Structures are given as structure tokens and as C-alpha cells.
Amino acid sequence: MDKETLKQKIMEVFQKKASGAGKSKIYLKDLQREIPEANPRDIKNAANELVKEGKLEYFSTGSTVMYGLPGVGMGLEAGMEKPEE
Amino acid sequence: MGEVKKHDTPLMDDLKSGPWPSFVDDIYSYAERHKKQACFDILGQMELSYKNKETHWKHGGIVGVFGYGGGVIGRYSDQQEKFPAIWAFHTVRVNQPAAKWYHTSALRKLCDMWDHRGSGIMNLHGSTGDIILLGTVTEQLEYIFYDLGHQLKMDLGGSGSNLRTPECCMGMSRCEWSCIDTQDIVYELTMAFQDELHRPAFPYKFKIKVSGCPNDCVAAIARADFSVIGTWRDRIKIDQEAVRAYVGGELKPNAGAHSDRDWGPFDIKKEVIDLCPTKCMFWDEGQRKLYINDAECNRCMHCINVMPEALWPGDDRGAVILMGAKAPILEGAQLSTVIIPFMKLEPPYDNLKNLLYKVWDYWMEHGKNRERLGETIQRIGLNRFIVDVLGIKPIPQHVKEPRSNPYIFWKEEEVEGGWTRDVAEFRKRHPA
Amino acid sequence: MSERPERPDPIYTQPYDPTLAEKLYNPQKPMENRITDIGPPHYWQFLPPVIQRNYGKWKSHEIIQPGVLKYKAHSGEVVYVVRCGTPRLETTDYVREICEIADKYCDGYVRWTTRNNVEFHVTDEEKLRALLEDLKSRKMPNGAYKFPIGGTGASVTNIVHTQGWIHCHTAAIDASGVVKAIMDELFDYFGSHKLPAQVRLALACCINMCGAVHCSDIAVVGIHRKPPLVEDERLDKVCEIPLVIASCPLGAIKPATVEVAGEKRKSVRVNVDRCMFCGNCYTMCPAMPISDGQGDGLALVVGGKVSNRITPPTFSKVVIPFIPNEPPRWPTAVKWIKKILEIYSQNARKYERVGDWIQRIGWEKFFELTDIPFTWHLIDDYRLAYDTYRTSVHFKFTSHVETVTDFE
């Protein structure tokens, strides 16, 4: 599978997850499970490129890092608003 | 810079006294000199923690720099009104130079940057080995990253489910026992795996640590998913003249490590020969000569540690590769276990890199979320990991002892005639 | 081999420009001027010339006094190393003072050890003497040494530790403060060689154990003792419930639908009888805080090591299951650590690490000698617990054994 097709597939997984199950963040592992025909390392590389392009973003509560669609679900700094100056 | 607000911190102040260097004295001196509110606030919040016996940091979300999935740990105070200067107090992990050698020109410039962009508080070093810059706000992160890259030629370290910053002992830079070039190995691996270090790649964290000899000064066997420990497979080198000098009391045993207590005169039989775990040594009093049966030696380093002027590791040097160590979360602590008993390590270390790729390919596909490599190996069995995953021949060195139960998961192809049997045929021989 | 830059990169002698990053970084075009994946500075440029010349060609070393090592190269060259303890948690001013010393005596080269000590290198004895005098004279405003010399040989070297309350959200105890309290009390052992072998101390502020605490001669581990709270009104907004459930190693967390202000909400319930207080759920879910001023405290573990010397690397074992948090100086914990250290010092043989000594005399003797009460908490009931049960009649009669005559 070429890289662009793989990237497209990855984006489809995210859109499906976000609209269907309402799951906004997923692990790299789960992404790999959704696209079993691709090599895990290729998926990692493609997903990381999508982050660089601004189409995905990283998310973590301090443990394993997840990927999410920018602006969907919990934000990066949920509940961490800066107090009024 | 306006007036700073100081807090009353009697409990923290108590830690200014005593002979050991006081971080409280240091932080307060710095806060006064630089008029840094964040430093007063951090000690104010610490004081509150000392009063309540609870941490006052919120559960941090990830913050970071564009395109990296690690290197910054988000941290927010839950006392934002009391201590507004530390409402956000993120940590930046900066990849340390191998074995933590520095020139002051680099350190001073890093300090200048951190005065300007952060709290001025740091750790030299974090548990994984990184330079830790403690305390900045989200808006500064990109600028810090640009300063690191453009002005300091430094980069971030690993966090989350990335490769963590590899670490090594001082190796050949000062140690006569280092069987491998730990610093060069760590540098090469770190450079080769920049993508794995900066972007999430794995089910969970993955640590690589490299020690030059079985003394394992960087605790590779206890902490690293992938532990590289230098060793040798030929004979221990002996300077008999120096051995006699130890026996005669002219040289201090163990390099003088026991100098403040009278342990009596050095007794080579009691202190070396009898403590050898394999009993492979012999001191011939008549000949005044030390004999080592090297084929029986398990290279524990004790004799070499005791007589550093007389004994050295041999010349056929390489490393033991062990895998799977981790702290107790969750299935209990594990030490790394032997996978490859002897591997030659020469630049550019392609054999080591290939082995890592092989391990990662399997773990990325079959490891569960938040499962360390050691737990994956446990789950599938060390035998399967060695034989089926890595294609390595199983040998007695892989275990302390063979299994005591005969519950062996035979493979069908190992059993003559396979597993398909005819019940009717069976009953012909054995009427029910 | 990677290319070795001979001298420190000239970029480091150019002054720091606090305005440069603002000129280079454009939030609208985040890839502009972005330098990524350059890795750490090459180590070779930071090695003193004497180290570069003799790299991989060292012959032997000697500890000429506590904290001072002398390395001899095959070339005949010699380098002296002075090792000093640091608090690890320090300011840029403290680091600048280290730089000032390194500039004055060591041509600007300096190194840190794995255990948070800083090391200064000189090549002649004259400079060594001046350096030692200088280091000893540097004190903090309230009298603490800035750079205590020691940490070599049969000593208590610096404590490997985690962040604690200065920075961690899962910490059950502080780290830097506890370390300071312990090292103040054990200060004499840092700067001397009077123990039977080296004693490695470590501290982890929770059982995530960011350091190699689990293989230390004596270590402090922060623990929780109350199950997590469950914030029903917040949980489904800030946590991925399936991940929270999966995070529990004992399967003690189940999904639940609850009513909050008349509204049905998704949340979880914790089977508290199965909770082992590991805090893994809190790592996954901010709406399940576990810290508690009364519940939290520390455990002491002893007898572990990482070196292969004589005996194989070993895990530390829990000997005191709980000591409450007693800021600012944790006197009970410090008292027990000192007691264990001194009993070990009086009873162990030369070269015997804490764990080797205990293996020789037996754990029952250890508990008798140290007066540490043995309670049910110390008998393992987690994974592989059976491996720790006594499956022989080899034991010693200590004060613990009461002769049983009648048994009702």
C-alpha cells in the first residue's frame, strides 16, 4: 500500500470512530488493528506524518500517547484554563 | 519585573539546615537574586503539600511542540489563585550528551536560556538520564524548542509511549573495565532512532541502557526493556607481579574502597578465592601465583574489582543482550533476561539495530496497550519469543534452570503422525 | 564510528540571544525554520583532552581518599576525579557555580554520574588540593555544604530519586525533602569508607517507580492506602471509560450508569476489596484521584542490587509496609533507614552487600536484629507469591518462634 492511500485509510478510521462510537482518541495499536493489511511501522510513520500536516494531533493523560482529530473530543488542556489575570 | 510575593514556609525552611546541600536554600537564593515569582510560588505550594501531605499538581494533559509526541510533560497547579506564577509548570526533557559529560560553555548557555524561558529550576538529571527543565508555560514551549535547536544544538528526550532517551555508564571515557564503547553505542542508537524517540511508536515506553561491564553502573538490567551489558569470553588478564603486591599489602584491595575501617591485612584466600561464585580460582602460596580456570568463570567482576591493578577483562570483548526489565507496575517488577549471550558490537552496530527492529516489529504488532516488552515476553513465553519471534537457538544460558513441570505445549509437527487420529481405529484396539 | 568533534561546538561561546526564537518561529507556519531530530550534542566534544587522548586506554584506578579517584592510563597519564553530591533538584545559579569551579580548575569540563553526583577532573595534585579546599569552603546561606565530597567505595552514595511534590501528580510522598532528611542523617557515611560494601539508596514517590528503586540496598517507595475517589459528575467528560477499566490489573473497576442531578451519566465503580492501591486508574483518568493525606505514606524495601558481583542482581524486599508522611523531616523513616544501615554495618562481612548479608543470616535473623516488627503485610499475596514461601525446614529459631503445645 502506498503512503498516500495509507494516510487516507487512517483518516477514514478516525472519521468513522469519531462519528460512530464517538471515540475521539485512539491508540496506535488500535489503528493498526483497523488496518491489518499494512505494516505496523508504516502505519506509525504515516500517522506521524499526518500529525506534521496538522490533520491529526497527539493526546495523552501522561501514559501511552494517543492520536485524535484536532478539535474533536477532549482538548489538549482540558480543565487547565489559565486563571483570569 | 514588579514586586514579588513571598510566602510563609516554615516547614520548607526547616530543610535549609543540615550538612547535605539544600534545594530550599538554593531555590530561595535564586528566587531572591532573580526576583522570580515562580520560585517563591513553587516553594509556597510545596509548603502546602507538606501541610496537607498531598500533592497539589493536577493530572496533566499532554502539551508539546509541533510534530513531536513526547519530550514535554504537562503540569498544572490545583492552587492557581494562591500560586498564579506556577499555574502551568511543564517539564521539558532535553536529551543529555552520552555519559553526561559537558563543557561549561554549553551548560551556561542552557542556564541562560532557562532563566529567560522558565523557572530556572532543573534536575541534573532525570531518572532516565535526560536534562530536566522544570517549570514553564505552554506559550514558551515552541520558543524553548527553537532555542534548543538553533542556539544549543540540543533536542528533546523521550516520554509517553516513545523510545525513551537511551543512557549509558561512563564507559571507555574513564573506566578500564568497559568492554564496549557505551557512549558511542548510545549516540549511534539515539541518532538512528530519532523518529521512535520523538513520536509515539510503541504500545508503551521502551528503554535502552548500555553498561560497559557486569558491574552495570547504569542499572541496565533493572531498568531497561533492552539491556546491553559488556562482557568478554576469553581469559581474564593477570599481572602476577601486581597480585603479589596485593598479597604483600603494598596495594590496597578494591582500589581503597574500604579505607576507613580496619578489616585486617588483605587475605587473598578469604577475600577473593573463597568469594568467587564459581570457585574457579586458586592461589598457589608456594609459587606465589594466581590461577584462574577461565572456562568456569561467570565474569561476576569480584576479583577484578578487588585487584584493579592486577586483573582485567579479556580481549575478546562484546556484550550480553538482555530484555524485559521494568518497575513493578503492573505485573510485578522484572529484571531483564538473557537473550543473546555474546554479541560483538562494532560501529555502526547494525546487528544491534537489526535486533531492535525485529523486537519492535513483533511488539508493535502483538504487544497490548500499556504492556512492556517484558510482559509481552511473559505472556507468550520466553521460549516462543526466542525461537519463533527472534529465530534464535534456545540454549541453557537462557534460563536459570529448566522447567520443573512437564506441561509442554508440543507443536503438532513435532509429534509423529500429527494430532489427527481415527476414533474407530482406536476403538478397534480398545473396545469401550 | 560517529564523527568525533574535537572541541566544544563554537556555537556555545556565542551568547544566548533571547529574541532569536521569536524571530524564527511563526505560529502560522509551524514548519518554518523548524529544526527537528538532531539528537543530543555529540559526547566527544565535551570530553577533556586528557580523556580524549586516553579513551579506551585506561589501565587502573584507585580511590585515594573518599570522593577522590585517581585514574591511570597505559600512556602513563593520570587524571584525578573529585566526586560531589548534589541535590539533583537545583537552580541554574547552582549549575553556574559548578561551571565556575569547572572553569577555574578543569578547563571547563565537568561530568555527572548516574546517581546525581557531579565530578571534577584535574591532572595534577597541586590543582587537586586547591580544588578540594575550594569545594569544602562553599556553603549555602544556612550552612549546608554546596558540594559535599564523597560517594565512592564502601559509602552511602547519593540517592537516586524521583520528583515528589515538586512536580508529580501521582506522588504519595515528597522526594527531594525526604532525600535531604535522609542524607543529612547519613552524611558521615557519604564522605567515608567505613561500611562493609557500597550501599545504594533510592527513593520513588509512588509505585510507578521512575528510578531503579526496586533493586536497591535500601529504598523508600511512596504508597497509597485508600481506593480512588470516583467523580461521577466529571468522569465521562475527562476519561475514556474502557481504558480506565482495562487499566486495573485486578479487574476491580466496572462500568456503571449513575444519576447525577437527575441525569443519567456513564461512570465506573471500584470493588474496593480488590484494590491494591496502585494508582494505575488515576494515571488513566483524572476523575479518580487516589492521593490522601492520611492514607499515603511510604514503604521501606531492602536487600536489592543491580551489580552481578559475586551474587546475581536481586530485587529489594518490603520490610516495613507503611510509615506515615511526616514532613518536613520524615523522622520515623529516617530512623529506620539509619538503624538498618548500622545493624548491617555491624554485622556484615567485608564486600557483603545488604542483600548478601541478609541471604547469609536469613530474613528471620534480619528482623530479629533490626527489631522491625514482622506483620502479615510482608507475606506476598500477589503474582508468584508462592516463590517466597518457605518450602524447607531450614530456618533459624529467633524470638519470633513460639513453641506450640496446645492448639485449639
Side-chain angles (χ1 to χ4, degrees):
Chain A
M1 191 180 325
D2 70 81
K3 194 178 261 177
E4 286 313 308
T5 322
L6 183 54
K7 281 189 187 168
Q8 188 143 9
K9 282 211 168 187
I10 292 171
M11 290 311 291
E12 283 165 16
V13 171
F14 274 93
Q15 270 132 18
K16 195 178 81 194
K17 291 253 173 193
S19 59
K23 206 174 172 189
S24 60
K25 315 283 183 237
I26 65 178
Y27 283 126
L28 188 57
K29 283 256 15 136
D30 302 328
L31 200 52
Q32 288 159 351
R33 201 168 296 139
E34 293 288 330
I35 314 173
E37 64 275 23
N39 170 296
R41 199 185 301 153
D42 292 341
I43 297 176
K44 176 208 84 169
N45 289 338
N48 286 334
E49 253 178 54
L50 285 164
V51 172
K52 239 178 227 174
E53 291 163 17
K55 291 176 188 153
L56 291 179
E57 67 181 12
Y58 297 126
F59 179 84
S60 168
T61 52
S63 177
T64 307
V65 183
M66 290 179 264
Y67 295 73
L69 292 167
V72 180
M74 266 166 82
L76 287 184
E77 299 194 65
M80 309 294 181
E81 283 76 34
K82 191 174 179 174
E84 292 299 312
E85 303 264 340
Chain B
M1 213 171 293
E3 258 316 286
V4 286
K5 184 167 173 269
K6 298 177 189 178
H7 308 282
D8 200 22
T9 59
L11 293 168
M12 297 312 300
D13 294 347
D14 192 74
L15 290 170
K16 289 176 177 174
S17 62
W20 190 252
S22 166
F23 67 97
V24 180
D25 238 356
D26 177 33
I27 294 175
Y28 268 134
S29 303
Y30 178 88
E32 294 283 356
R33 185 171 315 143
H34 298 261
K35 298 276 169 271
K36 273 245 165 122
Q37 188 61 51
C39 295
F40 289 109
D41 279 3
I42 191 82
L43 289 176
Q45 181 171 310
M46 280 278 268
E47 178 76 13
L48 196 62
S49 280
Y50 272 48
K51 238 182 261 165
N52 300 340
K53 303 175 188 178
E54 288 173 2
T55 182
H56 282 288
W57 296 105
K58 281 190 193 185
H59 202 287
I62 199 182
V63 287
V65 301
F66 188 78
Y68 275 21
V72 183
I73 318 295
R75 196 60 76 224
Y76 302 87
S77 168
D78 70 10
Q79 300 294 316
Q80 308 207 340
E81 288 190 3
K82 271 200 192 109
F83 309 113
I86 55 164
W87 79 272
F89 202 72
H90 308 322
T91 301
V92 182
R93 292 185 182 166
V94 179
N95 197 332
Q96 83 286 1
K100 308 186 182 90
W101 289 91
Y102 295 90
H103 191 265
T104 51
S105 55
L107 276 176
R108 286 178 190 277
K109 200 167 178 181
L110 184 67
C111 289
D112 290 345
M113 187 281 280
W114 194 234
D115 285 346
H116 179 61
R117 304 239 177 247
S119 70
I121 299 172
M122 61 200 291
N123 292 148
L124 288 170
H125 295 80
S127 293
T128 304
D130 295 287
I131 301 164
I132 304 289
L133 305 177
L134 278 174
T136 192
V137 293
T138 311
E139 299 82 73
Q140 285 292 341
L141 293 174
E142 288 292 352
Y143 299 122
I144 290 167
F145 185 65
Y146 272 65
D147 279 346
L148 287 173
H150 288 269
Q151 300 201 63
L152 287 149
K153 293 200 181 171
M154 291 182 188
D155 203 343
L156 299 184
S159 67
S161 47
N162 301 9
L163 172 64
R164 300 300 181 86
T165 311
E167 193 188 13
C168 62
C169 69
M170 66 174 160
M172 293 185 167
S173 65
R174 233 174 53 204
C175 185
E176 67 267 28
W177 299 326
S178 193
C179 297
I180 49 175
D181 192 345
T182 60
Q183 288 172 264
D184 197 55
I185 293 167
V186 156
Y187 183 76
E188 277 283 342
L189 295 183
T190 308
M191 296 311 283
F193 302 129
Q194 281 291 298
D195 192 52
E196 284 77 7
L197 192 87
H198 295 308
R199 295 165 197 91
F202 305 129
Y204 204 16
K205 64 181 89 164
F206 192 93
K207 300 187 179 182
I208 300 174
K209 293 192 193 294
V210 184
S211 274
C213 84
N215 281 333
D216 195 2
C217 289
V218 83
I221 203 165
R223 301 195 287 165
D225 300 85
F226 192 92
S227 320
V228 180
I229 299 178
T231 196
W232 67 96
R233 67 177 298 172
D234 55 344
R235 311 190 60 159
I236 291 177
K237 293 192 272 192
I238 309 178
D239 176 347
Q240 296 287 354
E241 199 60 44
V243 176
R244 285 191 279 276
Y246 279 108
V247 174
E250 295 137 53
L251 290 171
K252 285 176 278 176
N254 216 103
H258 300 268
S259 60
D260 287 325
R261 185 148 146 190
D262 184 9
W263 293 93
F266 177 65
D267 179 342
I268 192 168
K269 172 123 191 348
K270 199 170 116 198
E271 298 186 33
V272 181
I273 311 291
D274 290 351
L275 291 181
C276 169
T278 63
K279 305 284 176 272
C280 71
M281 306 181 79
F282 175 68
W283 168 248
D284 189 322
E285 188 60 50
Q287 282 184 18
R288 314 274 300 157
K289 198 171 170 192
L290 179 69
Y291 290 92
I292 301 177
N293 181 359
D294 287 272
E296 294 300 315
C297 171
N298 66 7
R299 302 166 315 284
C300 85
M301 295 294 294
H302 176 64
C303 58
I304 298 175
N305 288 332
V306 175
M307 300 191 285
E309 304 281 351
L311 304 177
W312 298 270
D315 286 323
D316 186 7
R317 296 174 172 196
V320 190
I321 313 295
L322 308 94
M323 298 184 201
K326 55 180 279 293
I329 283 276
L330 289 162
E331 297 296 316
Q334 291 183 17
L335 291 163
S336 278
T337 70
V338 173
I339 302 293
I340 297 187
F342 196 64
M343 192 180 219
K344 282 289 195 182
L345 291 179
E346 303 295 339
Y349 317 105
D350 284 338
N351 50 359
L352 202 56
K353 292 176 194 163
N354 290 339
L355 177 62
L356 274 161
Y357 274 125
K358 201 157 188 180
V359 169
W360 287 342
D361 279 348
Y362 180 82
W363 183 48
M364 283 168 75
E365 195 168 338
H366 299 277
K368 295 179 180 171
N369 280 323
R370 289 171 53 72
E371 187 179 66
R372 294 284 288 270
L373 176 65
E375 290 162 325
T376 308
I377 296 173
Q378 280 260 8
R379 182 163 55 79
I380 66 164
L382 177 67
N383 46 10
R384 268 173 195 69
F385 182 71
I386 289 171
V387 178
D388 300 343
V389 176
L390 299 178
I392 293 171
K393 198 174 86 180
I395 52 175
Q397 281 81 355
H398 285 130
V399 292
K400 271 189 265 199
E401 57 188 25
R403 67 197 303 155
S404 51
N405 64 68
Y407 301 139
I408 297 160
F409 293 96
W410 293 100
K411 294 172 184 169
E412 186 173 7
E413 62 271 23
E414 287 181 299
V415 183
E416 297 80 0
W419 289 344
T420 317
R421 288 191 286 163
D422 188 337
V423 178
E425 279 299 312
F426 182 84
R427 284 292 162 230
K428 264 189 212 162
R429 298 198 303 277
H430 305 281
Chain C
M1 189 174 319
S2 52
E3 203 181 315
R4 293 169 160 183
E6 285 286 314
R7 318 290 328 141
D9 196 302
I11 198 168
Y12 297 123
T13 51
Q14 294 164 22
Y16 170 67
D17 176 356
T19 64
L20 185 69
E22 274 83 353
K23 289 175 205 153
L24 294 171
Y25 172 64
N26 174 359
Q28 263 63 56
K29 292 182 189 157
M31 288 309 287
E32 201 173 88
N33 296 320
R34 178 168 297 267
I35 298 176
T36 71
D37 301 274
I38 57 169
H42 197 286
Y43 59 94
W44 194 263
Q45 66 188 311
F46 297 143
L47 300 179
V50 62
I51 299 290
Q52 288 183 354
R53 284 195 298 276
N54 297 290
Y55 193 87
K57 291 178 262 182
W58 295 100
K59 183 171 180 280
S60 62
H61 72 279
E62 188 191 334
I63 313 170
I64 56 177
Q65 67 186 69
V68 184
L69 298 124
K70 179 184 181 182
Y71 288 82
K72 285 182 278 186
H74 286 291
S75 67
E77 283 195 286
V78 163
V79 64
Y80 297 94
V81 179
V82 180
R83 184 176 291 173
C84 301
T86 76
R88 187 184 90 127
L89 173 64
E90 55 217 22
T91 66
T92 51
D93 277 358
Y94 182 84
V95 176
R96 279 193 194 90
E97 191 159 342
I98 289 172
C99 291
E100 179 200 320
I101 297 164
D103 283 341
K104 192 167 170 194
Y105 300 96
C106 318
D107 299 319
Y109 297 94
V110 60
R111 176 185 181 256
W112 270 260
T113 71
T114 309
R115 304 191 82 86
N116 311 319
N117 296 310
V118 64
E119 292 182 329
F120 299 100
H121 299 69
V122 293
T123 47
D124 69 84
E125 286 189 54
E126 198 73 28
K127 263 195 183 163
L128 173 65
R129 272 190 293 272
L131 170 63
L132 288 171
E133 283 315 305
D134 189 340
L135 289 168
K136 279 180 212 157
S137 74
R138 289 176 193 258
K139 298 262 182 92
M140 292 185 155
N142 288 278
Y145 286 99
K146 278 183 178 163
F147 305 106
I149 298 162
T152 53
S155 69
V156 170
T157 190
N158 204 347
I159 301 183
V160 166
H161 63 276
T162 57
Q163 298 289 11
W165 292 333
I166 193 94
H167 203 250
C168 187
H169 67 298
T170 65
I173 58 174
D174 187 31
S176 299
V178 189
V179 165
K180 162 79 174 146
I182 296 169
M183 288 310 285
D184 275 343
E185 193 64 30
L186 304 184
F187 191 72
D188 282 347
Y189 291 99
F190 178 78
S192 66
H193 288 164
K194 53 189 174 191
L195 293 166
Q198 68 266 47
V199 175
R200 299 282 184 253
L201 265 55
L203 179 145
C205 52
C206 81
I207 51 172
N208 278 325
M209 290 199 197
C210 310
V213 169
H214 54 298
C215 294
S216 305
D217 292 284
I218 306 174
V220 173
V221 183
I223 59 163
H224 306 286
R225 294 186 309 159
K226 292 190 186 184
L229 295 163
V230 179
E231 283 178 281
D232 287 333
E233 53 283 3
R234 202 168 150 247
L235 194 135
D236 63 340
K237 276 188 257 160
V238 297
C239 311
E240 302 265 358
I241 289 172
L243 299 180
V244 180
I245 291 163
S247 74
C248 180
L250 294 174
I253 302 175
K254 295 272 174 284
T257 307
V258 294
E259 248 190 50
V260 179
E263 196 189 330
K264 280 224 184 332
R265 296 282 284 274
K266 282 184 190 157
S267 187
V268 299
R269 284 294 170 264
V270 178
N271 178 353
V272 294
D273 294 333
R274 297 182 73 175
C275 180
M276 62 170 188
F277 319 102
C278 71
N280 205 38
C281 50
Y282 180 60
T283 298
M284 299 306 293
C285 176
M288 297 182 75
I290 190 163
S291 288
D292 185 276
Q294 294 171 306
D296 297 350
L298 59 92
L300 284 188
V301 299
V302 312
K305 69 179 187 109
V306 294
S307 161
N308 284 271
R309 184 175 184 174
I310 306 177
T311 53
T314 327
F315 291 127
S316 315
K317 323 286 184 211
V318 180
V319 294
I320 299 185
F322 181 75
I323 298 171
N325 270 316
E326 298 168 317
R329 290 224 166 234
W330 280 265
T332 309
V334 171
K335 179 196 86 181
W336 279 115
I337 291 167
K338 192 170 186 187
K339 176 146 194 194
I340 293 166
L341 183 77
E342 291 186 335
I343 297 279
Y344 155 75
S345 182
Q346 288 155 21
N347 289 276
R349 295 175 182 166
K350 193 178 177 187
Y351 305 115
E352 233 169 20
R353 296 284 293 265
V354 172
D356 296 333
W357 163 63
I358 298 171
Q359 278 306 315
R360 177 167 60 79
I361 63 168
W363 283 97
E364 63 273 36
K365 277 278 179 198
F366 169 83
F367 283 100
E368 187 173 66
L369 285 168
T370 54
D371 289 323
I372 295 174
F374 190 91
T375 62
W376 69 267
H377 313 88
L378 303 179
I379 299 177
D380 197 355
D381 49 13
Y382 196 53
R383 318 263 201 256
L384 307 173
Y386 177 82
D387 290 354
T388 64
Y389 303 166
R390 192 178 301 266
T391 53
S392 76
V393 295
H394 298 175
F395 56 80
K396 295 177 182 175
F397 285 110
T398 57
S399 53
H400 303 95
V401 181
E402 290 166 22
T403 301
V404 178
T405 46
D406 298 317
F407 195 87
E408 301 279 316

